[in-house]
Amino acid sequence: MSGFRIGFGFDVHRLEKGLPLWLGGVKIPSDLGSAGHSDADVLIHALCDALLGAAALGDIGQHFPDSDPAFKDTPSRYFLETVMGMIKNERWTPVNIDITVCLEEPRIAPFRDDVIGNLSAITGLNADAISVKATTTEGLGFAGRREGISAYAVVLIRRDGIT
Ligand code: MG
C-alpha cells in the first residue's frame, strides 16, 4: 500500500472589532479579528481539512465540533497537531502544502515566515515545501467588505509501502 493523495480545504470566519486575528498560529495586528468558537484561525482550519480530506478521515467539524465546550478558545495549533497524529497513524506523510488566504487587509507578507515556521514545526515539513500566499478580492464580496476572511489549502500526502 503506497501512493499519493491530494486534499483540499476551505474555511471562512466572520471578522469583528475587538477580536484577535490569528493566522497560522501568529497573532496578526489588525483592527478586526476572526470570530469563532476556537481561536478561529482560518488558515489552520483550511489546512486541517485539506489534510483530513487527503487521507479521507472526515473533517475538522466532525473531529472538533464547535458545540463542544472543550474546544472553546482552543488554539488551532492543537487541531493541526491532532490531525497530524491522525494521518501519521494511517502512515501518511505530507509532501507539500499550498495555502491562500483571502483578506482585504492587513498585509500578511511581513508575517509569512513566522507562519511557515509554525506550520513547519507542527507538520515536520521543510519550510521550502510550505507556501503561504494572500490575496485581496479587489474590494468585492464579504472579504472585500471586510466582513469575513477565508482560506484555501491544498496538500499532497504520501504513503510509503511496507518493505
Ligand atoms: Mg473554521
Side-chain angles (χ1 to χ4, degrees):
M1 289 272 283
S2 63
F4 292 90
R5 297 261 194 94
I6 59 171
F8 171 72
F10 172 67
D11 193 33
V12 176
H13 281 265
R14 280 180 292 109
L15 287 173
E16 293 180 6
K17 276 200 162 60
L19 293 175
L21 180 60
W22 288 98
L23 285 175
V26 177
K27 194 174 177 182
I28 311 282
S30 172
D31 58 326
L32 300 179
S34 193
H37 185 65
S38 65
D39 68 358
D41 190 324
V42 72
L43 186 157
I44 288 185
H45 293 184
L47 176 56
C48 286
D49 261 355
L51 289 162
L52 289 168
L57 288 172
D59 65 39
I60 191 171
Q62 173 186 339
H63 297 294
F64 313 103
D66 61 9
S67 56
D68 187 338
F71 301 124
K72 179 89 181 97
D73 298 326
T74 297
S76 293
R77 174 189 191 94
Y78 166 78
F79 300 149
L80 184 54
E81 288 168 348
T82 305
V83 165
M84 282 304 303
M86 292 169 64
I87 72 161
K88 281 180 182 170
N89 276 344
E90 301 283 328
R91 296 186 293 108
W92 292 108
T93 305
V95 177
N96 76 300
I97 292 170
D98 185 20
I99 300 170
T100 299
V101 180
C102 300
L103 79 173
E104 201 62 26
E105 57 183 44
R107 285 174 49 76
I108 68 160
F111 310 99
R112 188 195 318 261
D113 288 349
D114 291 337
V115 171
I116 289 174
N118 283 344
L119 300 182
S120 174
I122 300 171
T123 63
L125 270 174
N126 285 334
D128 64 5
I130 302 173
S131 160
V132 174
K133 314 186 294 302
T135 185
T136 73
T137 57
E138 300 280 339
L140 299 170
F142 68 81
R145 293 188 297 270
R146 303 194 74 204
E147 294 169 355
I149 182 170
S150 63
Y152 302 82
V154 179
V155 302
L156 184 70
I157 60 175
R158 183 188 75 238
R159 178 152 60 182
D160 294 321
I162 300 169
T163 54

